[in-house]
Amino acid sequence: QYDSDSVLSYEVGFKAETSDRRVSVDIAFFHIDWKDIQLFAAVNGFGVNVNGAGAKSDGIEFTTTLRPIAGLSLSANGAYTNARLEDDTSPLVGGLKGDRLPFTPELSLGFNADYRWQISDKTEAFVGGSVRHLSEQTGAYDTDFRAANGRQRQIESYEVVDLRAGVDFGRFSVEAYAKNLTDSGGVVSTSEVTANGFDVYPGGAIGTGVIRPRTVGVAVTAAF
């Protein structure tokens, strides 16, 4: 059994836009108190939720957009997040006071560029791209790994690049895209599972989830 958790959030921010709408800025500072946080644990090979004492998160988020010429939009967004445990967790979980919360990057950044232009009265062409960066993260808490290495498992930083281009006919549009162009293997989850005292995965491996690999395709969209 486990209890419900609760979150109390504080936020203060600022939004502004120039009169010609060419530049806009949105920035916010936040503080989060998380009581009875629910964390993952493995018991006899079964995944369960276990309450921790609590956690805190402090940070800043921003988005800014620039439209220097007609049809061109440039934007950047990002966040700095300091999310950590307020106290030790149950040994089943393996987290200690001050540990970063799993899979919460300290720094995330994104950059986007899109350009549209008219090729006829009712038809527009467009091209665009984006780059996302996520900094190093802490993996799922692991008591054995912590005891052997003096720290939680670390997940490397990674970047994702997306490209797109197409034609918008109004009611119909055709778009060619390449997602995760560099075929980044960014990790989004880890789990080490045991059953009856034995590792489920061979050779001491852990279950690892990664982002979708490079994907290239064409999308046709119709509005009704």
Side-chain angles (χ1 to χ4, degrees):
Q1 294 180 343
Y2 57 92
D3 296 326
S4 61
D5 60 349
S6 63
V7 175
L8 185 61
S9 301
Y10 306 87
E11 182 175 327
V12 60
F14 171 79
K15 294 183 179 182
E17 185 177 62
T18 58
S19 58
D20 58 7
R21 302 189 65 187
R22 288 195 173 189
V23 181
S24 62
V25 177
D26 184 351
I27 187 169
F29 300 85
F30 62 85
H31 172 79
I32 298 173
D33 285 319
W34 197 345
K35 302 300 182 185
D36 297 319
I37 182 174
Q38 295 174 3
L39 298 166
F40 178 81
V43 180
N44 295 327
F46 292 93
V48 298
N49 282 339
V50 176
N51 289 110
K56 289 188 183 296
S57 181
D58 300 289
I60 180 174
E61 298 175 328
F62 78 91
T63 300
T64 182
T65 302
L66 176 65
R67 303 176 183 88
I69 59 175
L72 178 61
S73 177
L74 307 173
S75 65
N77 59 81
Y80 167 80
T81 305
N82 180 19
R84 67 279 183 196
L85 289 176
E86 280 289 279
D87 209 341
D88 296 351
T89 69
S90 161
L92 290 173
V93 176
L96 299 181
K97 181 178 180 179
D99 283 349
R100 290 188 57 81
L101 295 187
F103 297 100
T104 306
E106 189 173 44
L107 181 66
S108 60
L109 294 170
F111 301 94
N112 301 276
D114 287 284
Y115 182 60
R116 302 179 71 94
W117 68 96
Q118 208 78 25
I119 57 178
S120 72
D121 289 344
K122 297 182 179 180
T123 306
E124 285 185 333
F126 59 89
V127 295
S130 62
V131 179
R132 291 181 288 127
H133 167 81
L134 278 80
S135 66
E136 184 180 75
Q137 304 170 55
T138 295
Y141 294 148
D142 186 325
T143 303
D144 294 338
F145 186 91
R146 177 95 190 216
N149 298 275
R151 59 174 177 82
Q152 298 291 355
R153 184 176 280 109
Q154 298 297 303
I155 306 302
E156 293 183 356
S157 63
Y158 63 92
E159 290 77 35
V160 180
V161 178
D162 297 332
L163 297 177
R164 53 195 171 271
V167 180
D168 188 344
F169 298 97
R171 183 175 176 183
F172 300 93
S173 65
V174 179
E175 178 181 336
Y177 60 83
K179 298 182 179 180
N180 192 9
L181 183 66
T182 59
D183 205 22
S184 170
V187 174
V188 294
S189 68
T190 60
S191 63
E192 186 170 20
V193 181
T194 60
N196 299 321
F198 296 95
D199 289 336
V200 172
Y201 304 117
I206 62 172
T208 304
V210 298
I211 62 175
R212 175 184 279 189
R214 181 191 298 118
T215 305
V216 178
V218 175
V220 179
T221 305
F224 297 95

